[in-house]
Amino acid sequence: MYTQAIDLPGKEPQPDSAAEPDSPEQARFDAKLAADQKIEPRDWMPEAYRKTLVRQISQHAHSEIVGMLPEGNWITRAPSLKRKTILLAKVQDEGGHGLYLYAAAETLGVSRDRLVDALHSGKAKYSSIFNYPTLTWADIGVIGWLVDGAAIMNQIPLCRCSYGPYARAMIRICKEESFHMRQGYDALLAMSRGTPAQRAMVQEAVNRWWWPVLMMFGPHDRDSQHTGQAMKWGIKRISNDDLRQKFVDATVPQAELLGVKLPDPKLKWNAERSHYDFGEIDWEEFWRVVNGDGPCNRERLATRVRAHEEGRWVREAALAYAAKQRAREAGQAA
Amino acid sequence: MAQTEWPLWEVFIRSKQGLEHKHCGSLHAADAKQAVQMARDVYTRRQEGVSIWVVPSSAITASDPDDKAELFDPAVDKIYRHPTFYELPDEVKHM
């Protein structure tokens, strides 16, 4: 789905203490970045670059995995078999995205268990958007349209990230996100052509999701502590505010077509800027949700931890079975 | 049980008949059979493949990036290995 990790509180990446700033390795690394070449897993890289990537990629992976929960909530209640199969496929995609990303993070020398532990212990963050509840079926459409739409906006520049495995994972993910967004908009279109009650349901869902979706792009550029270094490293390509503006500009006409009103009285076309102006985000809410006090933070994490604990015997049984098979084959060979 | 994390496998997919298998990522699985099944679900949800190879990541020996110059630079000055090195008279036409 998407990552805010680069902007979330964490240790500021420090300039590398191990390598001299003018070491030949550092020079080769800098030259590669300057030439827009990719860094690959076994290449030398500054420790701070490695740490920043582990943090961002793993938190991105966590977001995909936790992102399955708000939608999974509606699989059994989808209004038709068609919508149910679509939603199942979408949630399965999110799981797949999490796996591509965990695999990319692991190429940086960190184990899957450690990454998952960091999520379950609350040390690692995931996107704030998944801490909001999905109250009606329209929420599922809105998640596809707006949440995945915002995610696409954010993820397309990540396809050009300087770290090869992350960039390659993002290319796969972006291809699939397009389906996510379109199925959401399609579900909302169907409702908007339905009864007044269905149209009201769409509007009500848009009212609840609009502002949290704008928060997905992270803090204002002036408050975004990691952006400068991440830009230099080619991990981040476009600033939070620029992406947010791009998203608003793209979304307004889609909302008009859908016949919904975006809940912002300040939203207005500005001919001089050739962009839409929009109101101020409630940053207090943003930080509250990021720091663990959103409507669903505790429930989401508890659900993840429970699923992991309850699956433990399966993981152990699979390993035991594999060991038994190996022993049996060895016995036959002897 | 000492080992709790499933081993890591590298996944190679043949995207269509006639093309080579190409590395597409990795995943954790308890054994080879499960790795193939999971690769199907993780990497070929949209007909991306017609055949899957899985290899234990630990079985791969890779060249060291530090040896890059030593390994690959010797080819740099052997331009005579390329057909374009040879300037032939126009009369030869296609060769």
Side-chain angles (χ1 to χ4, degrees), chain A residues 179-205:
Chain A
F179 144 60
H180 296 180
M181 187 179 180
R182 290 172 68 107
Q183 66 80 32
Y185 196 73
D186 180 68
L188 294 178
L189 267 179
M191 292 180 80
S192 73
R193 290 168 188 155
T195 64
Q198 286 174 316
R199 278 196 292 277
M201 195 184 269
V202 174
Q203 181 63 59
E204 192 270 334

Side-chain angles (χ1 to χ4, degrees), chain A residues 169-305:
Chain A
M170 289 318 306
I171 290 170
R172 299 183 69 88
I173 290 175
C174 282
K175 278 189 198 159
E176 300 180 349
E177 290 288 358
S178 177
F179 144 60
H180 296 180
M181 187 179 180
R182 290 172 68 107
Q183 66 80 32
Y185 196 73
D186 180 68
L188 294 178
L189 267 179
M191 292 180 80
S192 73
R193 290 168 188 155
T195 64
Q198 286 174 316
R199 278 196 292 277
M201 195 184 269
V202 174
Q203 181 63 59
E204 192 270 334
V206 169
N207 291 349
R208 277 185 289 109
W209 287 92
W210 176 246
W211 291 104
V213 164
L214 290 189
M215 293 175 198
M216 286 175 66
F217 295 93
H220 267 318
D221 291 347
R222 61 168 187 270
D223 304 323
S224 177
Q225 49 175 334
H226 300 310
T227 292
Q229 184 59 65
M231 290 256 191
K232 266 183 238 151
W233 277 331
I235 296 175
K236 196 181 173 83
R237 300 283 185 179
I238 306 180
S239 83
N240 295 351
D241 285 336
D242 287 351
L243 283 171
R244 188 162 20 235
Q245 180 71 61
K246 229 174 131 183
F247 173 75
V248 171
D249 290 347
T251 306
V252 172
Q254 296 165 1
E256 282 166 6
L257 201 67
L258 207 53
V260 292
K261 207 169 159 320
L262 298 173
D264 179 357
K266 291 195 176 145
L267 188 71
K268 207 175 83 205
W269 178 252
N270 182 330
E272 212 170 289
R273 293 200 308 129
S274 284
H275 287 297
Y276 282 93
D277 290 336
F278 54 97
E280 188 62 15
I281 288 168
D282 179 354
W283 293 111
E284 251 174 61
E285 175 181 333
F286 172 75
W287 290 113
R288 201 168 57 238
V289 178
V290 162
N291 290 323
D293 218 9
C296 300
N297 293 55
R298 273 168 288 270
E299 185 194 324
R300 297 287 185 241
L301 206 54
T303 307
R304 266 321 307 156
V305 170

Side-chain angles (χ1 to χ4, degrees), chain A residues 42 93 106 113 176 315, chain B residues 5-6 28 45-46 63 65:
Chain A
R42 289 163 55 90
D93 273 356
E106 287 173 82
D113 280 351
E176 300 180 349
R315 294 191 297 277
Chain B
E5 197 170 83
W6 285 349
H28 289 271
R45 288 192 301 279
R46 289 179 177 77
S63 65

